[in-house]
Amino acid sequence: MDKRAIPLLVALCLLPLAATAVAVLLFLPDVVPTHAGFSGVDRWGAKYESFITGGIVTATCVLFSFMYAKAETLQRLGMIHGTGVRGARITLVGCMALVDVILLAYLIWAAVTGFNAFSG
């Protein structure tokens, strides 16, 4: 494994909890949407419930980091298909970035939706 990737992996793993903490402490209203369906928001909860989502995203990123570190072993075991170790690692970093972006989008949506629902 290329040791130069470690700072990037650590940053992508810590970003979800850091962003959630900043959002909860500084931006989110006390009540935020926690689930939305086709008919709109169907569950509201305390802003601190956002840490559940942030924790799940962090755990996902930690799992992807472990897979990144063990990519050679995964390939030897036949668990990487259609690409080599390098391609798998690029895909894993891309997936980590994607779930982080989705979490950030949720936090922004929760803030906007929560403020709009309970203001005025």
Side-chain angles (χ1 to χ4, degrees):
M1 183 178 104
D2 185 3
K3 303 291 186 210
R4 294 176 297 173
I6 292 173
L8 175 62
L9 298 175
V10 170
L12 288 171
C13 286
L14 294 179
L15 178 64
L17 283 182
T20 302
V22 167
V24 166
L25 296 174
L26 301 177
F27 299 112
L28 292 179
D30 290 334
V31 178
V32 296
T34 55
H35 187 268
F38 289 113
S39 60
V41 176
D42 54 15
R43 185 174 181 288
W44 295 85
K47 66 181 178 180
Y48 297 103
E49 290 183 42
S50 299
F51 281 112
I52 295 170
T53 306
I56 291 169
V57 173
T58 298
T60 301
C61 288
V62 169
L63 175 63
F64 287 163
S65 294
F66 181 72
M67 292 168 63
Y68 184 102
K70 297 296 183 181
E72 290 93 356
T73 303
L74 293 173
Q75 186 177 37
R76 272 197 314 277
L77 294 172
M79 299 177 125
I80 294 177
H81 303 283
T83 186
V85 170
R86 183 173 187 275
R89 285 183 170 153
I90 291 169
T91 301
L92 287 165
V93 170
C95 289
M96 290 172 73
L98 178 63
V99 296
D100 285 357
V101 167
I102 291 170
L103 174 71
L104 294 173
Y106 158 72
L107 292 171
I108 292 167
W109 171 78
V112 170
T113 305
F115 282 123
N116 287 341
F118 295 106
S119 65

